[in-house]
Amino acid sequence: MTTSHISVNRGAAPLIDRLVERADALRIGVAHGSAGERLIDCGARIEGSLEAGRLLSEICLAGLGSVQIGASSGLARYPFGVEVRTSQPVLACLASQYAGWQLSHGEGSDAYFAMGSGPARALAGREAIFEDISYHDEGEAAALVLETGSPPPPALIRRIGAECGVEPGNLTVLYAPTQSLAGTVQIVARVVEVALHKAHEMGFELTDIVEGIGTAPLPAPHPDFITAMGRTNDAVIYGGRVLLHVRGSAAAAAELAANLPSSTCKDYGRPFAEIFRAYKGDFYQIDPTLFSPAEVCVVALETGAVFRGGGIDPTLIDASFG
């Protein structure tokens, strides 16, 4: 990629500063852990806010995309949604936002597990995706985003710092559980990211994806984890809409539009919480192709041809959102 000079961690830094400066107004907590790391609680032991979630989503995108909340969902009963735009979709979504870093420590009742997203991933470079997109970040500071209700233990913090090549004092960990206001926003704001990830799995040439726009309805948070997880996933699977501008042949663009929507998956057709329970809570038994937008529009830049696939499903959104 020709954009390797862009640093995702440096791009996220000013957004984190803005978040910290407005901590009281955004109802978030800022503290330092025993290893010296900065911990930003966006909705675990503190209430958080939708605006904190919006900024958290832009931090996940490393400042390479914008996230807005407005009346853009296309659903009459749930008109408010999250809109994401990026002119660097591969770096923003796959080098930063994608939750691809498995973090774990301890065993049994003391075990800690979380999936890491955000720009710190590009410093550690532990995932195969970074070889596929030929990107690695360099820098002295790192930002890690976790969808969880608690920060990593000190031993894991030190390991994260070592793998990123930064001192723990230069590591910022931002976290919010799925059930929170901020957590809800940042998960739904992955509507373009899931499209990029599925395109990658389909073998589409990622460097040909030059623009990404997506929107998905904003569900109400729920205190039950499975219900909250179901709503946020359904927002994308049954209510997400994505527009991609791509280089290359019209035939490749047409194939992408036809195969990218979630409706091509065998598990499509039930609220996600119901699917999750049917697989007895084993997330990895669910067909991964389900995690994609409901509706896709692909523009082939070389010909101006427009290809569409899928469609939003208001009935399943109603069944999920309550």
Side-chain angles (χ1 to χ4, degrees):
M1 295 178 66
T2 59
T3 52
S4 59
H5 63 283
I6 297 175
S7 169
V8 290
N9 281 278
R10 284 196 295 272
L15 295 173
I16 297 172
D17 291 342
R18 190 183 312 166
L19 191 72
V20 171
E21 289 169 1
R22 300 175 60 196
D24 290 342
L26 298 177
R27 300 192 296 270
I28 65 172
V30 181
H32 285 85
S34 60
E37 75 280 12
R38 180 168 56 174
L39 301 172
I40 303 179
D41 180 350
C42 293
R45 296 185 178 180
I46 195 166
E47 190 173 38
S49 61
L50 294 176
E51 177 65 5
R54 189 190 70 78
L55 284 168
L56 183 62
S57 303
E58 291 190 339
I59 290 166
C60 281
L61 291 163
L64 296 172
S66 67
V67 178
Q68 301 297 326
I69 299 173
S72 60
S73 74
L75 292 159
R77 293 194 62 195
Y78 305 96
F80 295 98
V82 178
E83 181 181 296
V84 181
R85 290 175 290 163
T86 174
S87 294
Q88 290 287 345
V90 175
L91 288 186
C93 296
L94 298 183
S96 189
Q97 188 181 30
Y98 175 56
W101 191 4
Q102 295 188 24
L103 299 167
S104 62
H105 179 76
E107 298 179 354
S109 59
D110 294 327
Y112 181 92
F113 177 83
M115 294 299 295
S117 63
R121 296 173 43 245
L123 290 173
R126 295 182 58 82
E127 304 156 50
I129 188 69
F130 290 105
E131 291 186 15
D132 296 341
I133 64 176
S134 301
Y135 179 79
H136 179 76
D137 198 11
E138 295 181 357
E140 297 180 352
L144 181 69
V145 178
L146 302 175
E147 183 188 334
T148 181
S150 59
L156 182 53
I157 287 287
R158 287 189 286 270
R159 194 172 86 218
I160 292 169
E163 293 186 6
C164 291
V166 303
E167 295 295 327
N170 290 330
L171 173 65
T172 297
V173 178
L174 308 99
Y175 60 100
T178 309
Q179 303 95 310
S180 66
L181 288 162
T184 299
V185 174
Q186 80 89 7
I187 297 168
V188 175
R190 295 174 181 271
V191 61
V192 177
E193 178 244 286
V194 296
L196 266 288
H197 187 258
K198 188 169 180 179
H200 176 241
E201 293 298 313
M202 289 169 52
F204 189 83
E205 180 56 58
L206 291 178
T207 55
D208 284 345
I209 304 176
V210 298
E211 294 281 344
I213 302 174
T215 185
L218 183 64
H222 196 283
D224 175 69
F225 170 70
I226 293 177
T227 303
M229 177 179 64
R231 288 179 176 180
T232 52
N233 278 284
D234 290 335
V236 173
I237 294 168
Y238 301 120
R241 297 179 295 159
V242 165
L243 169 65
L244 301 176
H245 291 77
V246 304
R247 303 187 189 100
S249 71
E255 183 179 1
L256 182 64
N259 295 317
L260 199 55
S262 55
S263 55
T264 61
C265 173
K266 66 180 178 63
D267 284 329
Y268 180 94
R270 293 179 291 169
F272 185 82
E274 185 178 326
I275 296 171
F276 185 75
R277 292 188 179 98
Y279 284 106
K280 303 185 186 306
D282 188 345
F283 192 87
Y284 295 100
Q285 289 298 313
I286 301 171
D287 186 341
T289 64
L290 180 65
F291 301 101
S292 48
E295 181 176 314
V296 176
C297 179
V298 180
V299 177
L301 290 172
E302 291 184 10
T303 64
V306 180
F307 303 97
R308 294 179 172 84
I312 60 176
D313 193 323
T315 301
L316 283 167
I317 290 292
D318 284 348
S320 175
F321 285 16

